[in-house]
Amino acid sequence: MRDAMKLAADHGAAWRTGATSSVRADANARSIHPTASLEELRHAFGGPLPDAPEEGQGVIRHLIAAAEPGLVGNTDARFHAWVMGASHPVGVAADWLTSAWGQNPGIYQCSPAAATAEEVAAGWLLDLLDLPRTASVGFSTGATMAGFTCLAAARGEVLRRSGHDFADLGLAHAPPVTVFVAADTHASNLAAIRYLGIGNRDIVRIPTDGDGRMAVPELAQRMAGTEGPKIVLATAGQINTGAFDDFHALADLVREHDAWLHVDAAFGLWARAAPGRKHLADGLDRADSWSTDGHKWLQVPYDSGFAIVRDPEAHVRAMDITASYLTQSPDGGRNPTQFSPELSRRARGFAVWAVLRALGRQGVAEMIERHCAAAALLGDLLGGLSGVRVHNEVVLNQLVVSFHDGARGENLTAAMEERLNAGGRYFFRTAEWKGETVLRVSVISRETGEAEIRDLARCMEREWSDLQAARRQG
Ligand SMILES: Cc1ncc(COP(=O)(O)O)c(C=O)c1O
């Protein structure tokens, strides 16, 4: 057993060191794209279920050989495709221990250490993000389930205020709950609303401005014309542009209607941890709940998200699991299952606690500022190139870029994606934004800074010039 664990730890550390030493896009950098085909991966993992037990080290060796050609380099500074974090090494080490300890944090008595690490990390998060210190925090798999948790609390509370006891009567006998979302809300929010039994008929999509911010006058009009309990789902950090809604205006409206304001802040919430960016999320603390990720900007290993609710009673009413054998801690320790959908689960608090200690308040602020400054620099460098359009105001870490042949009026962004990804150098993906194919550039990997972004801008400029030359010749 010991040998298998040691092999995994040694190999994992070596793999990460290899990944980080190739952070710059030089000629020797490791490909950050999978190199194996689906067929090769199926073959490598496949074969019949073994009848006999296999020796541990051999299993781990086989796992390494099968998996590594199919891994994506999202922990690398050259990865910009999706908004993903880079698993801070100290968080990874804490996560290894979490598995080795095999703790189940369902209730305090299952693992007093896991419950207390969560309790302390929850307090640190509220402090770092400057949210109400009395709010409750659930540790979830990610922002999707954090959103689900917060919206479950919201649904129960707005129904309670309308005189409906959700626990007793459920949705079947309830008045419809209307959820107002931005037309560009993240798809996971629509899934979370659906999991809660609310369908398209009761989801009102509010138009947005060029950067994806909800149009407040339109929202006011639609809310005024809607009877019954209401939830407004706002965004801090739009998935493409990084834009923030006008939280003061939304909070005023929500108060007028005795509604609930939830903020999907999967990565944008972390702006509050950086003094130079905190103004972007001004008024966000007036909301009723916030969902965010640990595994994105905080760089906690997967899976890590936080469901933060201003009113702990509403939170617990939605999530609590009670049974005679699930007793409360006699001395008031935290029962984690009161704040997230699961009973048995991974002890997520250890890795969060470890990453928060490893970075400290200053480390988090420095990283957020560095990523935002790098994104702004890339915006400036690309904005000066003919045929290149930066679509958004680069306020956070996200850029929306497209490449155009002006003479022929052709969008060449997909061709640029292919060129940038060639040889596994960078990892980019296109998306559709306001009817155009664009390159979404996310600057969120732990190590990315000015040097990497200048390399990237040079590479983009070179590839763009080569692409145009090739087309002229062709
Ligand atoms: C704005 C936003 N909300 C929600 C999510 C869903 O988060 P997760 O994938 O951690 O469940 C994402 C993920 O990219 C996101 O960017």
Side-chain angles (χ1 to χ4, degrees):
M1 181 178 79
R2 210 186 162 86
D3 287 346
M5 289 167 103
K6 207 166 161 338
L7 171 63
D10 285 347
H11 187 85
W15 191 83
R16 281 305 292 267
T17 316
T20 50
S21 66
S22 65
V23 149
R24 304 289 293 275
D26 58 42
N28 301 319
R30 181 167 78 188
S31 169
I32 55 171
H33 288 256
T35 52
S37 66
L38 171 60
E39 201 184 333
E40 287 166 336
L41 287 169
R42 281 187 177 145
H43 180 75
F45 280 107
L49 170 68
D51 286 328
E54 238 174 85
E55 174 268 326
Q57 261 192 315
V59 173
I60 298 302
R61 269 201 203 93
H62 187 159
L63 175 63
I64 292 169
E68 289 200 343
L71 297 183
V72 167
N74 56 290
T75 57
D76 195 289
R78 295 170 291 148
F79 181 91
H80 298 282
W82 298 295
V83 186
M84 289 181 171
S87 292
H88 193 294
V90 174
V92 174
D95 216 32
W96 284 342
L97 277 174
T98 303
S99 292
W101 288 330
Q103 299 295 285
N104 178 351
I107 60 168
Y108 178 84
Q109 290 177 40
C110 289
S111 179
T116 308
E118 267 194 22
E119 180 187 280
V120 170
W124 287 353
L125 287 168
L126 296 176
D127 182 21
L128 182 64
L129 299 167
D130 194 15
L131 292 175
R133 308 303 193 266
T134 50
S136 45
V137 183
F139 287 58
S140 69
T141 47
T144 304
M145 286 313 285
F148 166 83
T149 303
C150 291
L151 291 167
R155 180 190 59 180
E157 176 60 16
V158 293
L159 282 171
R160 193 190 65 77
R161 287 186 211 155
S162 76
H164 179 88
D165 181 347
F166 180 79
D168 220 24
L169 298 166
L171 266 194
H173 307 282
V177 176
T178 307
V179 187
F180 299 84
V181 302
D184 309 302
T185 195
H186 193 271
S188 62
N189 293 319
L190 299 174
I193 295 168
R194 194 175 69 240
Y195 305 155
L196 289 164
I198 298 171
N200 279 334
R201 204 199 67 165
D202 296 312
I203 300 175
V204 178
R205 290 168 169 79
I206 303 296
T208 55
D209 69 9
D211 278 355
R213 282 177 287 255
M214 230 192 293
V216 178
E218 180 91 13
L219 174 65
Q221 200 184 6
R222 297 301 301 271
M223 288 182 84
T226 306
E227 294 292 323
K230 301 174 191 61
I231 298 169
V232 175
L233 200 166
T235 304
Q238 207 281 334
I239 179 70
N240 296 305
T241 65
F244 291 74
D245 276 326
D246 179 348
F247 300 112
H248 280 300
L250 296 184
D252 288 346
L253 255 180
V254 161
R255 190 178 303 154
E256 244 177 68
H257 289 270
D258 198 22
W260 180 292
L261 179 59
H262 172 68
V263 186
D264 167 14
F267 57 101
L269 194 55
W270 300 92
R272 289 179 69 83
R277 306 282 156 178
K278 195 174 173 191
H279 64 279
L280 295 169
D282 193 31
L284 172 141
D285 48 324
R286 294 177 59 193
D288 297 292
S289 58
W290 307 264
S291 45
T292 193
D293 268 313
H295 57 220
K296 286 189 169 58
W297 229 343
L298 189 58
Q299 319 288 329
V300 176
Y302 286 93
D303 39 32
S304 175
F306 311 113
I308 307 173
V309 181
R310 177 186 292 280
D311 173 0
E313 276 184 36
H315 193 167
V316 172
R317 262 200 306 273
M319 289 295 135
D320 204 12
I321 300 176
T322 45
S324 60
Y325 75 98
L326 300 175
T327 47
Q328 294 290 331
S329 144
D331 43 7
R334 174 183 168 96
N335 266 1
T337 189
Q338 292 190 299
F339 307 103
S340 60
E342 309 102 334
L343 178 56
S344 301
R345 64 166 167 86
R346 186 168 189 74
R348 299 188 184 111
F350 290 132
V352 176
W353 180 91
V355 172
L356 285 170
R357 278 204 91 87
L359 289 173
R361 202 186 292 274
Q362 288 166 6
V364 176
E366 182 280 325
M367 177 178 63
I368 306 291
E369 296 284 7
R370 171 163 43 83
H371 291 163
C372 294
L377 173 65
L378 186 61
D380 288 346
L381 295 172
L382 295 181
L385 301 180
S386 147
V388 181
R389 180 171 166 218
V390 177
H391 292 242
N392 61 320
E393 192 191 343
V394 185
V395 292
L396 201 65
N397 65 321
Q398 298 291 117
L399 267 97
V400 179
V401 189
S402 59
F403 298 83
H404 300 266
D405 178 334
R408 299 190 212 174
E410 211 178 319
N411 186 328
L412 299 176
T413 309
M416 274 297 285
E417 177 200 22
E418 205 175 305
R419 280 174 168 263
L420 293 167
N421 288 342
R425 215 172 10 173
Y426 286 103
F427 201 122
F428 281 101
R429 284 290 180 266
T430 54
E432 291 298 306
W433 178 242
K434 305 283 179 192
E436 269 200 71
T437 301
V438 296
L439 205 62
R440 272 168 16 137
V441 186
S442 182
V443 183
I444 196 162
S445 182
R446 191 172 66 89
E447 315 227 344
T448 314
E450 183 181 335
E452 290 75 25
I453 289 300
R454 286 194 183 278
D455 275 358
L456 170 61
R458 267 193 296 273
C459 175
M460 282 183 158
E461 185 173 355
R462 201 170 51 240
E463 291 298 338
W464 180 226
S465 151
D466 289 355
L467 175 60
Q468 291 177 98
R471 282 169 59 81
R472 276 194 297 273
Q473 281 162 17

